[in-house]
Amino acid sequence: PNPFQNTVKFEIDLESTADVKVVVYDFLGKKLSSNQYRNLSSGKQVITIDSVSGDGFELPPGVYLSEIYVDNVPAQVVKLIKQ
């Protein structure tokens, strides 16, 4: 998904129906946003998040980390570069 401007799409493949959460952090580890998706069906899923922080502000260009949780278990960490 890199680099991105306004939205990021994550493709995940779920073995069974699951709750998914995507948390975005700045490079210092401060949590900027958290998006939850309940009861996603098994198989390939595409999750789209925007570049707005939890307090409603547009994220400036920079490097961010996203962590994807499946049923509250960390599944993947992705480095994001916003232009």
Side-chain angles (χ1 to χ4, degrees), residues 7-42:
T7 60
V8 178
K9 291 184 180 184
F10 296 98
E11 288 188 16
I12 58 173
D13 194 12
L14 299 174
E15 294 180 10
S16 60
T17 300
D19 294 335
V20 175
K21 179 170 66 172
V22 179
V23 182
V24 177
Y25 302 92
D26 67 14
F27 211 67
L28 298 175
K30 178 183 174 189
K31 183 165 80 170
L32 301 174
S33 68
S34 180
N35 299 282
Q36 292 193 312
Y37 306 89
R38 304 255 184 228
N39 297 318
L40 292 181
S41 300
S42 62

